[in-house]
Structure formats: structure tokens, C-alpha cells
Amino acid sequence: MSKNIYIIGSGFSSLSASCYLAKAGYHVTVLEKNDTLGGRARQFKKDGFTFDIGPSWYWMPDVFERFFNDFGKKSSDFYILDKLNPGYEVYFGKDSSVKISSKLEEIYQLFENEEKGSSKHLKAFLNSAKSNYDTAIKDLVYRPGISPLELVTTKTVARVSQFFSTISKQVRKNIKSQKLIKILEFPVLFLGAKPSDTPAFYNFMNYADFGLGTWHPRGGMYNVVKGMVSLAESLDVVFKTNANVDKIETDASNAIIGLTVNGEKIKTSLVLSGADYHHTETLLDKNVKQYSEKYWSKKTFAPSSLLFYIGFDKKIKNVSHHTLFFDTDFNLHAEEIYDHPKWPTDPLFYANFTSITDKTSAPDGKEAGFFLIPLAPGIEDTEALREKYFHKILDRFEKLTNQEVKKHVLFSKSFCVKDFKKEYNSYKGNAYGMANTLLQTAFLRPNLKSSKVKNLYFTGQLTVPGPGVPPALISGKIVSELIIKNQK
């Protein structure tokens, strides 16, 4: 069998797969359509400011360590991690915010101060969450999603009821405070669906939050990309940027025979795509696509986002490195993303100020601000709408944090639905992939291996195991194992 493989895209899942395949003896070439590596995890630099364009949360440090350990390395061989304290801050209204400590005992006390008796329920909830984390992250998510039997273990059978209840029901069973409910429901937003549609089993995200904490790689998330690229290059992976794949070529027997890249044909019989799954299938002849447009249109996708990267000429007060603004109606915003897609009436939003922790991301006395509004994928995206929401959230930000910031803006760059489509060929401009709902879990997600094209494989946030950076690293590992097994 061929030991040459081309990987489309250079996001986290592709970088992960490139390392595993190279270690196994494959000659790996990674094709990236943009001029920098990292897929959605890129950087924007301007006037001494540095922003992570994509992922900004470093959770589940054990998954990153497991990846590097597989190559006899540690994350610290490539970048330095700082544990954030507070992990993040949540605003519920003017002069009403809470900081989530990096210490569990302080979190228990925070809950108890807000609602008497709630710390007891939180401890029980987190015990369940840790048990689920150990089951999911150390075992289940490393399975390829080929068969429903992969989910049937003694541990999952004991938890079967959790797959038919939801995070929302589980949280509300014993906790009454709306503030605490929002804090507990927040982590599952990384999975791309409403808490009311997310199986209770996924409470392991709460353990990732409170139990393992929030970290920051010095220099930003892009240093993780650099570390993975460095590891891949040490394994002789070849990277080519500005390499846009126009077509995946197949023969009469539906086997891959090559790629058309920037208009030129390249011979190959083995391809792994870490690019958007839907987009990848548009590169194939119609008769060998696995999934129809109707299939994709019926799936629940994680939100898109309106992002602003803002350079401020002063330090910003009353905020933390990660700050969430939950001062408006959570349910209404969720409905306007998932149920009745439209621009949100009064959106929740998130702000990130890495320069509070990492002095390299802004000049002295200045602040780098990253603002994010979750949006329904596929909605209208115009400069006028971006401008409207820029003022909408900064006006709220000023009132909530008791300071003027708009007149201190040096520059602002936006990124939204159109950009996700243009830069990443993202289906409907989604930002995070396909949501992890009950009917979109494991074997119910798009397959890692094409059922129509011989030697075509997929990895990333639209396939197994799901959205997020840690799952992307895992996706790269399990698809590599599948390729190696099938090529023997």
C-alpha cells in the first residue's frame, strides 16, 4: 500500500494526524489554502498588538499532554502554560459579576454564598462530572465512531439515563439561583448546542472547567500551533501554504488517483481532509458524495460568530483575561441561534483581554481586546450589521464595567459569517462545527472514512469526536489509527 498521504488543511486535527502518520512511516504533505498554518487558529498582528483569531480557551490540558507524550515530548518542550486565576469572570448586570477561582474550595464557597446548600449539590455534580470525564476523555472519545457498540461498556450502561436527560435538567434539579445555573450551563456551549439539547453525560465539561482549570499558553494559542508544526517538521512532515485544493480526482472504480491543487494535478492514492467536511465533498464528483445537501441542512450546527479584534490605547478596568457577559436573556439568544435564526435582539457576548496576563500581546499601557457574539450560521452578514453590533456591545460593556472605552479604540477589525466561508470554506459560516447533541454523537456523526471513495478519510470538528481543540487533537489520532489499520 502507498505510504504517501496528502492532508487537506492545517488545523489542529490535521496537525495531529500529520504527526501520528509520519511517526508510523508515512510521507506526509499538508496542503493549506491560506498563507499561514493553523487553520482557524491563526494570528492577527497590528501596531504591536497580537490577537488569536480563532480558539482562545485552553481547557483539558491532559489531552494536550497525552498528544505530546505520544511522541516522547511534553507541552513544555514547545510552550509555557500559565494557569489563570480567576479562570474567568461572569457579568450578570451592572456591578454584578463573579470570578471563577482556580481553586475548587473557593468555587464551593462562591456557590454557598449565592445559594445556601448549593455547594453540597455542586460537589455531587462534580463527582459525577469527573467520573464522566474519566469515562469519556480517557476512553470513549478515542474510538472511531464506526459502530454503536463502541458506546456500550459497563461504565456507559451504568450511565445510560444520562444520555436521555439533559444538562439543563440536571443542573436545575437542585440549583435554583439563575446566576449559578448560567455558570454551570456555560461550559457545554463549547459543544455547540443549547444545554436543553445536550445530554447530561456531557457534564464532564464542568469538570474540565472547575476541576482542571483554565490555562493560557504564553504568546497565545498560536504557540500551540507552532509547537505542533515544529513536532511535525521534526518527523519530516512537509507543509505547503497557499495550496488550494480545487478537486479530488477519482477513477472509474471510485478510488482516489490525485488532487488538483492551484490548477495543477498531483498524483496520490491516499487523502485525509481536515478541511470542512461539506466543502470537501463538493470537491468530489456528485456520484461519490456520501451526504446530500438535504442531510447537511437538517443537522444542528454550532454557532457562527461576530468577532472584533480591538486595540485600546489604555488598560481596561474591571475585567479578567476571559470575561463573559450574561446580563441578557440567555434563552432568547439561544432561540435566535438555533430555533429561529436571526441577528440576536440583545446578545450575550464574551470578551478576552490576553494582555492582562500576557504582556507580549499589547504595547505597554495598552490593551488587546477580543470580543465575540455567538450567531446563527448562515445569516445575512453586512458591514452595516457589524457596525451596529460593535456599538451595541461596547455601549453595554461601558455601562457594565463603569468605564469609557469607545473613545480609546485605536483600531478594530471584524470577522464574521462571510469570513468563515471565505477563509475556511465553512458550511454556512459556522465557527465551531457540528453540535454534540444526542443524535449527533459518535457513530451518528459524519464518518471518518468515506463510504463511497476508496482511501478518502476525514478529520476535524464535523466528524468524530466533535467540536473544540482537544477533540480535534483526538480526531487526528483516531483517524490516523484507522488509516494505518486499513492500509496494512
Side-chain angles (χ1 to χ4, degrees), residues 192-377:
K194 294 189 296 184
S196 58
D197 290 335
T198 303
F201 179 75
Y202 285 102
N203 68 4
F204 64 71
M205 293 296 293
N206 294 95
Y207 176 71
D209 177 1
F210 292 167
L212 298 176
T214 304
W215 301 74
H216 174 70
R218 288 186 199 172
M221 287 291 287
Y222 197 68
N223 273 356
V224 183
V225 171
K226 289 180 178 178
M228 294 181 72
V229 169
S230 175
L231 173 61
E233 289 179 334
S234 75
L235 296 165
D236 296 325
V237 173
V238 175
F239 290 96
K240 294 185 178 181
T241 55
N242 298 305
N244 185 59
V245 177
D246 306 306
K247 186 85 164 54
I248 299 173
E249 309 283 353
T250 55
D251 63 14
S253 65
N254 298 335
I256 286 180
I257 56 172
L259 297 170
T260 301
V261 182
N262 295 336
E264 296 184 8
K265 293 188 183 299
I266 296 173
K267 288 185 178 180
T268 184
S269 59
L270 186 56
V271 171
L272 167 62
S273 179
D276 179 273
Y277 203 123
H278 170 270
H279 169 73
T280 302
E281 289 219 315
T282 68
L283 304 177
L284 293 164
D285 290 332
K286 188 174 182 180
N287 65 303
V288 289
K289 292 180 182 180
Q290 299 173 96
Y291 304 108
S292 66
E293 290 300 319
K294 184 177 180 181
Y295 169 90
W296 292 109
S297 68
K298 288 186 174 181
K299 293 300 175 183
T300 300
F301 277 81
S304 185
S305 298
L306 170 56
L307 301 144
F308 295 105
Y309 312 101
I310 306 173
F312 294 99
D313 68 6
K314 69 167 188 174
K315 300 301 289 183
I316 304 299
K317 301 181 298 181
N318 305 328
V319 290
S320 298
H321 181 119
H322 295 294
T323 307
L324 303 161
F325 293 85
F326 287 177
D327 55 305
T328 57
D329 189 334
F330 180 98
N331 291 327
L332 175 61
H333 191 174
E335 288 173 7
E336 292 172 338
I337 292 174
Y338 297 104
D339 302 328
H340 310 289
K342 58 182 287 191
W343 278 82
T345 305
D346 212 358
L348 286 73
F349 65 96
Y350 154 66
N352 169 326
F353 303 94
T354 53
S355 43
I356 291 175
T357 303
D358 190 338
K359 305 306 178 188
T360 66
S361 60
D364 288 345
K366 298 177 182 178
E367 206 86 86
F370 167 118
F371 289 73
L372 181 154
I373 303 172
L375 298 174

Side-chain angles (χ1 to χ4, degrees), residues 25-234:
Y26 283 78
H27 303 291
V28 183
T29 303
V30 177
L31 305 172
E32 169 56 53
K33 73 181 281 288
N34 293 311
D35 58 6
T36 58
L37 300 173
R40 298 175 194 226
R42 297 155 69 198
Q43 280 187 329
F44 166 55
K45 293 188 175 186
K46 181 178 174 69
D47 301 337
F49 293 83
T50 301
F51 305 86
D52 281 313
I53 287 180
S56 60
W57 291 77
Y58 193 104
W59 272 10
M60 303 184 186
D62 53 318
V63 174
F64 292 84
E65 289 307 322
R66 184 168 174 176
F67 167 76
F68 286 110
N69 291 169
D70 282 344
F71 302 92
K73 302 289 185 180
K74 305 183 298 292
S75 65
S76 58
D77 293 329
F78 301 98
Y79 53 88
I80 299 170
L81 283 176
D82 294 309
K83 192 172 188 180
L84 300 181
N85 191 18
Y88 55 93
E89 184 172 358
V90 185
Y91 269 86
F92 298 103
K94 185 175 173 62
D95 302 319
S96 175
S97 73
V98 296
K99 295 180 179 180
I100 304 301
S101 172
S102 63
K103 299 174 183 176
L104 257 180
E105 286 304 317
E106 293 181 6
I107 296 174
Y108 291 141
Q109 191 57 54
L110 167 69
F111 271 61
E112 194 64 23
N113 292 343
E114 172 65 25
E115 180 181 323
K116 189 170 178 59
S118 63
S119 62
K120 173 187 173 184
H121 298 304
L122 177 60
K123 288 176 184 177
F125 180 76
L126 287 181
N127 284 337
S128 166
K130 183 182 186 304
S131 179
N132 286 347
Y133 188 90
D134 290 340
T135 298
I137 303 303
K138 296 179 182 179
D139 182 13
L140 288 184
V141 296
Y142 284 91
R143 302 185 182 198
I146 294 172
S147 164
L149 294 178
E150 292 174 9
L151 297 179
V152 182
T153 70
T154 55
K155 291 181 178 180
T156 57
V157 168
R159 293 168 170 80
V160 68
S161 63
Q162 294 186 39
F163 287 93
F164 296 96
S165 184
T166 67
I167 288 287
S168 187
K169 287 179 181 177
Q170 191 179 48
V171 166
R172 285 169 165 76
K173 184 177 179 181
N174 295 307
I175 304 291
K176 306 305 176 189
S177 163
Q178 288 302 306
K179 289 182 181 179
L180 299 184
I181 287 171
K182 286 180 179 179
I183 290 170
L184 288 174
E185 289 185 341
F186 151 67
V188 301
L189 297 180
F190 285 101
L191 302 173
K194 294 189 296 184
S196 58
D197 290 335
T198 303
F201 179 75
Y202 285 102
N203 68 4
F204 64 71
M205 293 296 293
N206 294 95
Y207 176 71
D209 177 1
F210 292 167
L212 298 176
T214 304
W215 301 74
H216 174 70
R218 288 186 199 172
M221 287 291 287
Y222 197 68
N223 273 356
V224 183
V225 171
K226 289 180 178 178
M228 294 181 72
V229 169
S230 175
L231 173 61
E233 289 179 334
S234 75

Side-chain angles (χ1 to χ4, degrees), residues 4-8 248 256 258-259 268-273 455-458 483:
N4 294 309
I5 184 168
Y6 281 84
I7 299 180
I8 304 173
I248 299 173
I256 286 180
L259 297 170
T268 184
S269 59
L270 186 56
V271 171
L272 167 62
S273 179
N455 290 339
L456 174 60
Y457 295 82
F458 299 85
I483 290 169

